[in-house]
Amino acid sequence: MAEVTVTPQSSLADRPVRVQVRGLSPSQLVTLRASLTDEHGERFQSRAFFRADGEGEVDPGRHAATGGSYAGVWPMGLFWFLQPDTLFRRLVKRDVAGSPFLVRLEVFDGLQLVTGPQDQPLASCEAQRWYVGPGVQRVPIKEGRVRGALFLPP
């Protein structure tokens, strides 16, 4: 039975995480997909194709993606190469202190260029990507024409 994990499951957005897939058949060809929906309801996705190693595992930090949104060994590639479903949209986090981005990771059997509702993943998990650490205080700045925010550590 396949299992996909992200470690740590909750982290700051600028911190690396480790994605691993276990329980595959040796040399099985799979598609690993990351997706999130932003605060405006816009969906962003990335995908990478991998061949499982002899133990039936895939680790983007050790194994090279053979195609998809990127190719080669990129430990954070699924997060870095997220693209909007609608052209010219940008991934922007407005509520940086109140909630994380929830990134869904799924693994599919074979090469999946496009996935529909009928395509069921072999396994899935969710990662929380926070933009402000615990206890950080956000102070709005408004001075003349200058607008911004000051983030104070705990």
Side-chain angles (χ1 to χ4, degrees), residues 6-71:
V6 59
T7 309
Q9 186 266 332
S10 182
S11 64
L12 291 173
D14 64 345
R15 299 285 193 253
V17 295
R18 183 172 186 196
V19 177
Q20 289 182 290
V21 181
R22 293 186 192 101
L24 301 170
S25 300
S27 299
Q28 182 177 353
L29 195 58
V30 295
T31 299
L32 196 51
R33 180 178 73 179
S35 62
L36 69 84
T37 303
D38 73 4
E39 296 156 331
H40 298 291
E42 193 65 44
R43 186 167 171 188
F44 292 77
Q45 320 184 56
S46 64
R47 68 188 70 237
F49 311 132
F50 292 94
R51 185 169 299 281
D53 65 13
E55 284 79 44
E57 296 182 359
V58 168
D59 181 344
R62 294 185 301 122
H63 303 120
T66 58
S69 301
Y70 66 95

Side-chain angles (χ1 to χ4, degrees), residues 3-4 25 29 91 104 143:
E3 174 189 33
V4 60
S25 300
L29 195 58
L91 183 59
R104 183 163 184 78
E143 185 68 36

Side-chain angles (χ1 to χ4, degrees), residues 7-153:
T7 309
Q9 186 266 332
S10 182
S11 64
L12 291 173
D14 64 345
R15 299 285 193 253
V17 295
R18 183 172 186 196
V19 177
Q20 289 182 290
V21 181
R22 293 186 192 101
L24 301 170
S25 300
S27 299
Q28 182 177 353
L29 195 58
V30 295
T31 299
L32 196 51
R33 180 178 73 179
S35 62
L36 69 84
T37 303
D38 73 4
E39 296 156 331
H40 298 291
E42 193 65 44
R43 186 167 171 188
F44 292 77
Q45 320 184 56
S46 64
R47 68 188 70 237
F49 311 132
F50 292 94
R51 185 169 299 281
D53 65 13
E55 284 79 44
E57 296 182 359
V58 168
D59 181 344
R62 294 185 301 122
H63 303 120
T66 58
S69 301
Y70 66 95
V73 178
W74 292 80
M76 294 292 295
L78 290 167
F79 295 88
W80 291 339
F81 291 97
L82 287 165
Q83 294 294 316
D85 285 355
T86 305
L87 291 178
F88 308 114
R89 300 288 188 197
R90 288 184 26 207
L91 183 59
V92 176
K93 182 73 171 138
R94 300 270 182 217
D95 181 17
V96 295
S99 64
F101 270 141
L102 299 176
V103 181
R104 183 163 184 78
L105 297 162
E106 299 170 302
V107 61
F108 294 90
D109 187 30
L111 299 179
Q112 298 283 330
L113 295 174
V114 179
T115 51
Q118 73 281 1
D119 297 311
Q120 294 299 312
L122 298 173
S124 64
C125 72
E126 200 167 71
Q128 296 179 358
R129 303 293 281 170
W130 290 90
Y131 281 77
V132 175
V136 172
Q137 181 184 6
R138 181 181 187 275
V139 179
I141 303 294
K142 190 189 239 186
E143 185 68 36
R145 293 177 21 186
V146 176
R147 303 287 183 271
L150 173 64
F151 292 89
L152 297 171

